[in-house]
Amino acid sequence: MVFYDITASSEDREIFLDTVERVAEQVRIPFTIGGGIRTPDDFRKVLLAGADKVSVNTAAVLNPKLISEAAEIYGSQCVVLSIDAKNQGDHWEVFIHGGRTPTGIDVVEWAKQGEALGAGEICLNAIDADGVKTGYALGITKAVSQAVRLPIIASGGAGEMIHFADVLEAGADAALAASVFHYEQIPIPTLKDYLRSRGLIIR
Amino acid sequence: MIAIIDYGVGNLKNVRHVFSILEIPAQITRDPKVIRAADAIVLPGVGAFRDAVQNLEKYDLIDLLKEQAQSGKPFLGICLGMQLLFDKSYEGGEWTGLGLIEGEIVRFKDVPKIPHMGWNTLIPNTESPIAAKIEPESYVYFVHSYHAVAKNPEDVVFATEYGTQFPAVVQRGNILGMQFHPEKSAEVGLQLLKNFKEMIG
């Protein structure tokens, strides 16, 4: 379970701690918070509010030491590197500020650097696929999963149940989706049964 | 009332909250009077073994916890709190634990990724009331880089497997340990804590 305030950095907004606390009271599974995390102290606040993991994106690109400092203090298991990736033909480029600002950084290289700095998990969001419901970006998911030894969460593009199977078979450890679950286009129990029938190991 | 031991390691609110769902009064404390008056002890913990032991020493809790464990009241260690129940750990050196369950804490070897993080299954080993209504292969949520090696196989209620088989739930009499986070393990975690509640009576 992941909660992002996706425009926190571009709109320079503080972390939504009250929401984090209310979520922590309601759910009994691990959850991740992202959006507007800029300093190790932001990690502390979010973890104390009850989150299990903290996702960084823009601030980590602007200041990669944020990853290593947070991993040193709180442990790699709670540092999620979220990468917004855009297909530029011959390579995939990292974008920041909610997908608005190109960085010139190669996605696979940034994932490797994130691992070296101590990130514990990578959430890879293909920003062109996001919301289009035509399937996850399989090529870049596979490339990143082969480049690092961290759990990879694929994000962006889920529209049908087969998309989940495809991306998990491509090397993702988890597949993230939002709207297909929110609007109950794909009921989660149905999806889990389907993935099990495809031979995938699902909780 | 359950005493959730506060020794400055990690966030204890989630642990307290899950007990409140089960309608068990729980207090986060390091006050010896409160701890001695409690019906059960929960020793949570995240982070490094060394820091945990040093903090327990700093707050003068080691002898108190041993005394409480020997008193026979239900005593549950969660995650690092479970590792502290053992004799010693090799995390960042060699550190002495509470010695309530025989065995050692060692780092994972020959696994693709450390930490062992995510959902993994419970493999039944010995029977115990703590295992009531828990189906074999139930999923629970783990986050850890070191694991226990129990000297006595009969102390292992459930094992799990990651690279090697290791204890997920241990029990010796009133002393219990869970390597995973029951408070983050959805319905299965809740059932385990309900079973703990039954032990308290």
Side-chain angles (χ1 to χ4, degrees), chain B residues 11-159:
Chain B
N11 178 21
L12 311 179
K13 275 199 307 195
N14 288 328
V15 175
R16 181 176 59 187
H17 182 67
V18 75
F19 284 115
S20 79
I21 292 167
L22 294 172
E23 297 179 335
I24 311 172
Q27 196 172 337
I28 296 173
T29 183
R30 64 174 77 111
D31 179 344
K33 267 188 267 174
V34 177
I35 293 169
R36 286 200 174 98
D39 303 308
I41 308 284
V42 171
L43 183 63
V46 292
F49 198 95
R50 179 196 60 197
D51 298 342
V53 169
Q54 288 176 345
N55 277 19
L56 287 175
E57 279 169 1
K58 184 170 90 182
Y59 296 123
D60 239 355
L61 287 166
I62 292 196
D63 288 339
L64 177 63
L65 290 177
K66 286 183 183 172
E67 163 210 301
Q68 290 297 299
Q70 279 149 16
S71 77
K73 67 175 70 163
F75 189 121
L76 170 64
I78 296 174
C79 196
L80 179 62
M82 158 179 152
Q83 299 190 354
L84 289 165
L85 302 177
F86 283 83
D87 295 320
K88 65 175 163 180
S89 168
Y90 294 98
E91 179 177 357
E94 197 176 319
W95 301 91
T96 303
L98 295 171
L100 302 172
I101 292 182
E102 287 181 273
E104 297 178 342
I105 308 300
V106 301
R107 190 169 168 86
F108 280 106
K109 274 190 303 198
D110 305 322
V111 291
K113 295 167 186 177
I114 294 178
H116 171 226
M117 177 169 69
W119 298 87
N120 208 339
T121 52
L122 293 175
I123 305 163
N125 187 52
T126 56
E127 288 185 14
S128 162
I130 197 71
K133 298 182 190 164
I134 302 294
E135 296 291 321
E137 305 294 308
S138 290
Y139 278 91
V140 289
Y141 186 79
F142 292 86
V143 185
H144 59 130
S145 302
Y146 288 73
H147 67 83
V149 178
K151 190 177 166 198
N152 305 307
E154 66 271 22
D155 291 346
V156 181
V157 178
F158 287 106

Side-chain angles (χ1 to χ4, degrees), chain A residues 21 24-31 47-53 77 120-121 149-151 173 201-203, chain B residues 10-11 13-14 17-18 21 46 111-115 117 119 139-141 143 182-187 190:
Chain A
E21 284 182 353
E25 283 174 11
Q26 294 301 324
V27 307
R28 290 187 304 280
I29 57 171
F31 67 95
L47 293 170
L48 281 177
D52 299 276
K53 305 179 189 184
Q77 82 288 341
E121 200 171 284
R149 301 211 309 167
L150 298 177
D173 296 273
I201 296 168
I202 304 291
R203 178 176 84 92
Chain B
N11 178 21
K13 275 199 307 195
N14 288 328
H17 182 67
V18 75
I21 292 167
V46 292
V111 291
K113 295 167 186 177
I114 294 178
M117 177 169 69
W119 298 87
Y139 278 91
V140 289
Y141 186 79
V143 185
E183 78 281 12
K184 288 287 173 180
S185 296
E187 291 311 312
L190 210 56

Side-chain angles (χ1 to χ4, degrees), chain A residues 50-97:
Chain A
D52 299 276
K53 305 179 189 184
V54 184
S55 171
V56 289
N57 186 330
T58 301
V61 172
L62 300 177
N63 170 29
K65 265 173 50 190
L66 175 59
I67 299 173
S68 49
E69 286 171 2
E72 174 72 22
I73 302 169
Y74 305 106
S76 291
Q77 82 288 341
C78 71
V79 183
V80 180
L81 177 59
S82 173
I83 303 177
D84 285 341
K86 190 178 170 69
N87 190 346
Q88 301 291 37
D90 60 339
H91 74 291
W92 286 71
E93 183 177 356
V94 177
F95 274 60
I96 55 173
H97 294 123

